[in-house]
Amino acid sequence: MGLALVLTAISPQIGGVLVRGDKGTAKSTTVRGLADVLPWIEVYDGDRYSVDPAESTALSPDGPFTAATRVARPVRLVELPVGATEDRLLGSLHLEKALTSGAVEFEPGLLARAHRGVLYVDEVNLLHDHLVDLLLDAAATGTVSIERDGVSLQHGARFVLIGTMNPEEGELRPQLLDRFGLTVEVAAPREPALRMEVVRRRMAFDQDPDAFVATFAERQESLRVRIAGARARLDHVELTDAALLKVAEVCAAFEVDGLRADIVTARTAVAHAAWAGRERVTLADIRAAALLALPHRRRRSPFDAPGLDEDLLARVLGDDELPDPPDPAPDSDPAPDSDSDSDSDDAAASEGPGSADESGPSATAPDEAAAESSVDAAPVDVDADPADPADAERTPPSAPPAPDSDGRTTAASAETVYRPRLLTVDGVGQGSPGRRSRALGSSGRRIGSGTARGSLHLVETLRAAAERSARQGSGADGGRIRLAPADLRTAVREGREANLLLFCVDASGSMAARRRMVQVKTAVLSLLTDAYRRRDKVAMVGFRGAGASLLLPPTGSVDVAAALLDDLPSGGRTPLAEGLLEAGRVLRRERLRDARVRPLLLVVTDGRATAGPDPVVRSQLAAAHLATLGVPSVVIDCEQGPLRLGLARTLAGHLRAEHLPMAQVSADGLVDVVTGRVA
């Protein structure tokens, strides 16, 4: 993580860093510390848009400025809260001046403040989609264009985007994921000595922050000087054709989409060479760059675990060093000291990636050598190899399927997932922002105004004040309209919401045919993939043997979902009543947690309850009890064969659900049923 942040500080064109890791791993603390080691920048005094005085074409909406107003200031680290509004991100009218004096003045947003700095988003995977779209536009163009409320202006928005996230809380949209130049996985150390040192330093800081900062001031300054030196060397690092070809070979070998991966890897390799003090990119630099720039770009689906096959990377890079560039033409002047530079570069590369930074200049932090022998003096290791072989799989291990009461278990795996059709729910909800069903919320197109809490609708507020004044006969006070609290109007917007898809799956012996469970699992995983893209939640209840259990709690984490569903066993009796009651408990909990989420219950069964006393009657009573929740439901009848009892149809009647018979539980058939359903 430290190396990725340092390389981005050296070369902001890399495009930022995404830090993935469990909670409590100092992700936010490390990112916030980055601003203190970045070189200062020059701006115009009083310029809210931070244009670069060295760029003659850069114009500020606050300008013009004179050269005498140039000042230097630290780089800003601007934090974008997950719950920020569009107006806070882009900017809006200066409301006080608009209402008191009628002046139209624009108040810049966070993107203007982050120009030429760092924009940090904690829990970036929870950022609302409409804010993600605005970030993507700004990152792609480097500018923000404002055309609203009588304001028309454009300003720069070039920033280093840094995001932190916990994968357990859901994944990131692919479009935004690709905008991060580098990505790293972090985990808490397992060594007791290191954990003790973390606690010791934290307690020392809490006791006396000033003394703690003073203890590391020299080390901090050394790091700042080294970053500044690497920035100065950056334009002089040579990226030979052989090195660039090797970068292309690596990206092609990992089958990444597009060419952004090649560009980012090349830029990162150059920055790594500058950080190590080399004048030419080596294989060690390319390896370090690939381990940081490619893991999040090789994922073909949300179920692919992030990471990189280091054996494949080693085979592509090979053992041979990069060839020297061709000799200059006879009529050109040879570069001074070219032989000695080449020799030193070759020697540095031959030492391997672990020693890449040891061949750098003397600007290396002075305490790095002592760090090997003393935990107490260990600085942040920004020279570490980005590969993390100790990174454990974050998916909790699944226990082997337990035998059922009949002693038989099977666990079929799902096939390749596919893209299902869109499932939407009728009506207009008020759920959390998503990309599925229609809903009223804080994002989307403006369809009217109201008095509920939300963003101010200025035009409708003034209109309400004018109408009230006309009714009361208090028309004018010096030509002005007085505003009252009752006049305030907020914008009513219609966008999309996320939904909860709850699968209640019969995994008993009657469903244990391997092909059936493969089809059911494939359909569930396909819908989960679609739910990931649309910000939905998916849950799964399974029932078999003697009872039912919540196999997959409501979640948007596709990694955990894939692992749990893949190990779903089948066989034994059919406790249908227990499965319905467990589904009811899940729905009640989710309703208490967030009553705005609209669920859809999908019961996949043949209706042949066989567990417990009087199982069929109990299952029908459980269905009638569940129907009182008023949750839209579908019973998918999996009954087959010439002798059909029609129990699933009867169950649907008690559940007040739609009954849909199926000849077989095929993936295509199940998806057609689910995605064609109108709640």
Side-chain angles (χ1 to χ4, degrees), residues 166-171 302-303 395 528 532 536-538 552-564:
N166 182 355
E168 294 178 355
E169 297 171 343
E171 293 294 333
F303 302 105
T395 302
L528 180 61
Y532 153 72
D536 289 318
K537 288 185 176 181
V538 176
L552 178 65
T555 181
S557 177
V558 293
D559 298 328
V560 176
L564 292 175

Side-chain angles (χ1 to χ4, degrees), residues 236-360:
H236 304 288
V237 174
E238 182 182 7
L239 179 65
T240 63
D241 289 344
L244 192 55
L245 178 61
K246 188 62 70 174
V247 168
E249 290 175 352
V250 169
C251 294
F254 285 99
E255 300 180 347
V256 295
D257 295 327
L259 292 172
R260 184 174 283 118
D262 303 61
I263 297 173
V264 172
T265 305
R267 287 173 174 169
T268 306
V270 172
H272 192 270
W275 172 244
R278 287 188 285 271
E279 297 183 357
R280 184 181 304 157
V281 172
T282 67
L283 288 180
D285 302 317
I286 298 175
R287 178 183 184 275
L291 289 171
L292 294 171
L294 299 185
H296 60 302
R297 291 188 167 88
R298 54 159 292 276
R299 303 182 75 181
R300 294 301 177 188
S301 75
F303 302 105
D304 293 336
L308 212 61
D309 185 348
E310 295 192 46
D311 292 336
L312 175 59
L313 179 61
R315 290 196 300 271
V316 175
L317 291 177
D319 297 327
D320 297 332
E321 298 301 329
L322 296 175
D324 293 333
D327 294 332
D331 57 345
S332 62
D333 295 331
D337 299 331
S338 58
D339 293 338
S340 59
D341 290 343
S342 175
D343 293 341
S344 62
D345 290 341
D346 293 342
S350 64
E351 293 176 1
S355 60
D357 296 306
E358 296 174 7
S359 61

Side-chain angles (χ1 to χ4, degrees), residues 539-557:
M540 185 174 181
V541 170
F543 54 93
R544 58 183 289 272
S549 61
L550 180 60
L551 302 174
L552 178 65
T555 181
S557 177

